[in-house]
Amino acid sequence: MSENTPGPSRAREIQVPCIVFLVTTPTFVAIRLWSRTTSKSGIGWDDWIILASCTFAVIVMVLMLASCAYGFGQHIANLTPQHKLMTLKLFFVSQAFYKLTMNMTKMSILMLYLRIFIQRWFRIICHALLAIITSYMVATFFASVFQCTPVARAWNKTIPGSCIDITTNWYANAGFSIATDIIILALPMYPLYKSKIVLNRKIALMIVFALGAFVVVTSVLRMQTLDFSSASPDTTFDIASSIWTIIEENVGITCACLPMMWAPLARLFPSFFSLDNGTEIYRSSAARSLEPNTTSQPQSSWTQLHAYPDAKGSTSMNQISEYQDRSSEDSTGQILTSGRAVEARH
């Protein structure tokens, strides 16, 4: 703003990633939704939740761009009193929406897992994580909104009152986020490892799900900036944590959409992601894995990883069953199929 005292500005460090992600993140979500709507799998709760997460991420970026218009990125001493209050108020509101988008992205991934894996132990863990993350999301949202008493003291410290320890709060939130990211990242690896899929396809599946590691990396990098940014007296200029906040939330949404991007990956890496590669090998190995008098019965209108009792009566993943024609599948179905229906009838 022209009313502010001229001086150095770091606003571009916020504006550039915001503008880039305002294009890329909604694009990934739109491709995901298009893939689901053009297939028999249909849009599920995981898609609606990631759409809400994307909406909140867009709100965060719009608020940050608006705060830059008032002087965010400049030295706080150079801002007019009115612009300083507006900048800090917009930053305060963006913090609350950041809590929503990060946790809703995790919820969407867990809901996707529930559409794919049917092992009982796996689903119990997913439901438990969903309950924990949802509860934490509600708690941290209100903790962010009511971090000060009265609320306005969060952006105007001249108002009498008290505030929670922001540094401790930010570290606690970052620690929870990193811990749950690691658990969610590791959760599908064992079922995939034990599945009766040809090796190259198994590796490809594990790589796709492991791409969430990028979120953990950005969360750790952001965590390293929290102490300095939260304690800095020049809050509008020392914006390293805000930059990583923008990157972290958008990388999370992008990684959550990647499992539905199987077709583009198949074009780039056909030896790993091709739908035709290894079909005959898979078909024969899957047929041999079935117990006598066992019939493959899909439990929904789209492809899932199915569990069958082994000789000891326990559940293991022995076959991938395909219910619908390959041409009608979305990317999720393509990930979890080896090309053609595998049936064993006795």
Side-chain angles (χ1 to χ4, degrees):
M1 299 293 286
S2 58
E3 294 87 347
N4 295 332
T5 302
S9 175
R10 300 181 63 186
R12 193 65 60 86
E13 297 176 41
I14 292 288
Q15 293 167 336
V16 170
C18 280
I19 293 172
V20 170
F21 285 123
L22 278 172
V23 176
T24 59
T25 302
T27 299
F28 272 96
V29 174
I31 294 173
R32 172 181 178 149
L33 296 177
W34 172 82
S35 175
R36 284 286 172 81
T37 55
T38 56
S39 69
K40 290 184 179 181
S41 67
I43 294 179
W45 278 107
D46 56 321
D47 303 306
W48 291 118
I49 293 173
I50 202 66
L51 179 61
S53 178
C54 179
T55 301
F56 292 139
V58 168
I59 292 174
V60 171
M61 290 184 284
V62 169
L63 289 170
M64 295 305 296
L65 288 174
S67 68
C68 288
Y70 283 96
F72 195 72
Q74 301 178 34
H75 288 291
I76 196 167
N78 293 345
L79 275 58
T80 66
Q82 295 80 9
H83 292 167
K84 181 176 73 174
L85 290 179
M86 181 57 68
T87 298
L88 295 176
K89 184 184 293 186
L90 292 169
F91 177 72
F92 164 78
V93 176
S94 70
Q95 290 181 62
F97 283 104
Y98 162 77
K99 306 298 195 306
L100 293 177
T101 188
M102 287 302 299
N103 287 287
M104 293 191 81
T105 299
K106 302 176 197 294
M107 292 165 61
S108 175
I109 296 173
L110 290 170
M111 293 299 293
L112 174 64
Y113 287 174
L114 290 173
R115 294 184 68 171
I116 298 174
F117 301 96
I118 67 170
Q119 292 86 347
R120 187 170 181 271
W121 66 266
F122 188 96
R123 297 178 71 84
I124 289 174
I125 294 175
C126 284
H127 284 296
L129 285 172
L130 276 171
I132 292 171
I133 291 172
T134 302
S135 301
Y136 183 82
M137 179 182 68
V138 174
T140 194
F141 174 79
F142 284 105
S144 180
V145 172
F146 299 103
Q147 62 185 265
C148 292
T149 305
V151 173
R153 180 174 165 78
W155 61 83
N156 187 359
K157 292 299 189 287
T158 62
I159 299 176
S162 61
C163 296
I164 63 174
D165 188 330
I166 297 299
T167 303
T168 302
N169 178 264
W170 285 9
Y171 268 109
N173 182 69
F176 177 86
S177 181
I178 293 171
T180 50
D181 281 341
I182 293 174
I183 294 172
I184 292 172
L185 178 65
L187 195 56
M189 296 305 169
Y190 180 75
L192 290 174
Y193 173 74
K194 298 294 290 184
S195 64
K196 300 295 182 179
I197 313 173
V198 290
L199 182 60
N200 63 340
R201 184 174 301 277
K202 182 183 296 187
I203 294 173
L205 280 166
M206 296 179 78
I207 289 174
V208 169
F209 283 103
L211 291 174
F214 286 110
V215 184
V216 178
V217 172
T218 58
S219 297
V220 171
L221 292 173
R222 176 180 178 272
M223 191 176 189
Q224 295 177 351
T225 68
L226 295 181
D227 185 55
F228 174 72
S229 296
S230 61
S232 173
D234 198 358
T235 54
T236 58
F237 186 78
D238 297 326
I239 58 174
S241 66
S242 298
I243 297 169
W244 283 109
T245 293
I246 299 298
I247 297 173
E248 180 190 26
E249 64 179 4
N250 286 281
V251 168
I253 295 172
T254 301
C255 289
C257 293
L258 287 178
M260 272 61 69
M261 306 297 172
W262 191 264
L265 290 174
R267 288 179 174 271
L268 293 173
F269 309 102
S271 61
F272 275 100
F273 297 94
S274 173
L275 293 175
D276 296 323
N277 188 31
T279 297
E280 295 299 330
I281 298 174
Y282 167 79
R283 188 186 304 171
S284 59
S285 63
R288 288 195 302 270
S289 70
L290 291 177
E291 297 291 334
N293 301 322
T294 301
T295 302
S296 171
Q297 295 291 343
Q299 295 189 359
S300 68
S301 62
W302 66 291
T303 306
Q304 285 184 321
L305 292 178
H306 284 262
Y308 295 89
D310 58 18
K312 297 180 180 179
S314 60
T315 299
S316 61
M317 246 176 15
N318 289 330
Q319 181 185 11
I320 297 178
S321 174
E322 181 181 297
Y323 179 72
Q324 61 210 45
D325 184 79
R326 189 199 313 179
S327 62
S328 65
E329 290 178 349
D330 66 359
S331 298
T332 305
Q334 292 174 2
I335 290 176
L336 302 176
T337 183
S338 288
R340 297 180 182 276
V342 180
E343 297 182 355
R345 296 181 180 178
H346 301 273

